[in-house]
Amino acid sequence: MTGRLYGVGVGPGDPELVTLKAARLIRDADVVAYHSGTAGRSIARTIVADLISPDATEELLIYPVTTGATDHPLGYYGAIEDFYDESAERLGKHLDAGRTVVVLAEGDPLFYSSYSYLHDRLGPLYPAEIVPGVTSVSASSAAVAVPISRHEDTFTVLPGTMAVPELARRLADGGGAAIMKLGRTFAGVREALRQAGRLDDAWYVERASTGRERRLRVSEVDPDEVPYFSMVLVPGPDLRADAAQRARSGAATRLDPPAEPGTGRVLVVGLGPGPDRWVTPEVSAALAEVDHVVGYGPYVDRVPQRPGLQRHASGNTVEVDRASFALELARRGERVAVVSGGDAGVFGMASAVFEAVGADERFADVAVEVLPGMTAAQAVAARAGAPLGGDHAVVSLSDRLKPWELVERRLHAVGAADLVLAVYNPASRSRREQVARLRAVMLEHRAPATPVVVGRDVGRPGERLDVTTLAELDPETIDMTCLLIIGSSRTTAGSGGVWTSRRGD
């Protein structure tokens, strides 16, 4: 018979917030384990010191490193992984001997807790149970007595270790938020709150529920005096109060009368296919001036947040609706940018914006300006060499907006014309046959040895570039993260790269 493992939450600091079940298990445990920093002091043990039996065996699990350097060959994460392995082995010996092991966790055992790493190792091997605890988020919210979320608000927990631009973007999405892991990250967190326009609403809580608790507005906190065990809370909007205030004051909404005719303008911009360094200076300057950014969610996420910027993200199949929304904002005098990946005029939002203008006479006086961006085809071609150095065509295999029969006729025309072909949207989870049909069509016009470039996530983490032949192209390996370039009779694949001659026969 093996022992039983318990991950027990002891709450945020106040011993009276320990649950009855947690207290019973701690009193009855054969072994009580707890983590500490390098100094050997455990906050979790301090909370429940009066509950631990003098007959219990105590296991102090001291981190070898918290921040700073380590001489471990795999660095900080290597040292920590070894520590968890060794800690699990120590506790495993007690479990093998049939002892009941309680691992104390400040707050909740599975909420940013060290216990979770032990559970990963021991949970599959021994009977294990989680006893939830009051989290520091709940204690901090109670400390400031401000509702963090209401109605249909979202609530997000964010680590302060995130990069400032990403943290600002998350905060700007609205809803309530809690930011943990402060300490030396506090200055960056405050800057992210400022960029998101949420600094004035944010609260700082230090050591919630303990005798050393402090509560301040974030703007009043000295960054040099922020301990790790602190938190920032950003309340979500009170939608009911906001609506009542608007009704009382007659405040403007986006349904206000439009601006003077001819004054509205929408910028449609291409963000390039991947990294920020591929965004043009012209586009960056334009985005720094607008008040609204409209687009498909992942593209909106790429726009740096700043005070006053409103973000309007939507799904991937509502291009014209999205364009109409942007045009309506512009018609009412707002400064608006519609964003696309790559170049907005190449399978991007520019066409949808012009389509929306033509379909609704209300938008006749709204000016549309398109700012170019690097295309995915350009990025993949540059990585490969110069496969687009000669005449070429660009085709999307998506049949969402056009029938496949039309796509196939165009493929035959490109093949017969001996043009290099860049292929967008080659496959998706629901479209798995198009690449095989593309390959079959092109083999009717091209030699089996024709070079094919497969670019996957070019410019992003996990980028991969493969050069194969038309005969050896495996359709099953292609998905929506790929762009294909199929060579012509003038395309050569050599040790230096893939290129297409500009000379004719």
Side-chain angles (χ1 to χ4, degrees), residues 193 198-204 216-219 232-235:
L193 287 163
R198 307 193 73 180
L199 180 59
D200 292 342
D201 298 328
W203 285 91
Y204 167 85
L216 294 167
R217 291 287 188 178
V218 169
S219 56
V232 166
L233 293 175
V234 188

Side-chain angles (χ1 to χ4, degrees), residues 231-302:
M231 180 175 298
V232 166
L233 293 175
V234 188
D238 184 345
L239 302 182
R240 181 177 51 191
D242 289 349
Q245 176 63 28
R246 286 197 300 271
R248 287 193 298 268
S249 65
T253 71
R254 72 180 184 88
L255 298 180
D256 285 345
E260 290 298 320
T263 61
R265 183 177 70 143
V266 169
L267 295 175
V268 191
V269 304
L271 299 174
D276 291 343
R277 66 181 183 275
W278 287 351
V279 179
T280 69
E282 180 186 39
V283 167
S284 295
L287 292 174
E289 296 295 327
V290 299
D291 301 313
H292 299 265
V293 173
V294 179
Y296 176 42
Y299 301 145
V300 171
D301 288 349
R302 292 177 54 192

Side-chain angles (χ1 to χ4, degrees), residues 160 162 164 167 181-195 199 204 218 221-226 232:
M162 295 179 73
V164 170
L167 185 57
K181 301 180 183 291
L182 297 182
R184 57 198 174 92
T185 69
F186 181 80
V189 169
R190 189 164 63 183
E191 172 60 18
L193 287 163
R194 187 194 68 80
Q195 292 181 14
L199 180 59
Y204 167 85
V218 169
V221 177
D222 182 350
D224 296 329
E225 297 181 358
V226 175
V232 166

Side-chain angles (χ1 to χ4, degrees), residues 24 126 140 183 329 354 356 453 467:
R24 173 176 59 81
Y126 302 97
S140 297
L329 287 175
F354 284 112
V453 176
V467 179

Side-chain angles (χ1 to χ4, degrees), residues 58 96 189 200 204 241 258 263 318 335 410 415 427 460:
E58 297 190 37
D96 288 337
V189 169
D200 292 342
Y204 167 85
T263 61
V318 290
R335 298 182 298 177
R410 290 173 176 172
R460 303 185 182 96

Side-chain angles (χ1 to χ4, degrees), residues 317-350:
T317 60
V318 290
E319 288 91 345
V320 175
D321 290 343
R322 184 186 302 142
S324 297
F325 174 75
L327 289 162
E328 181 65 23
L329 287 175
R331 190 172 76 96
R332 300 182 186 283
E334 302 286 352
R335 298 182 298 177
V336 187
V338 177
V339 294
S340 279
D343 182 282
V346 180
F347 302 119
M349 279 299 300

Side-chain angles (χ1 to χ4, degrees), residues 485-504:
I485 298 178
I486 300 175
S488 69
S489 64
R490 311 297 298 174
T491 305
T492 300
S495 57
V498 181
W499 70 96
T500 299
S501 174
R502 296 165 59 192
R503 301 179 183 275

Side-chain angles (χ1 to χ4, degrees), residues 134 205 219 235 247 352 392 441 494 496:
V134 176
V205 183
S219 56
H392 58 271
V441 169

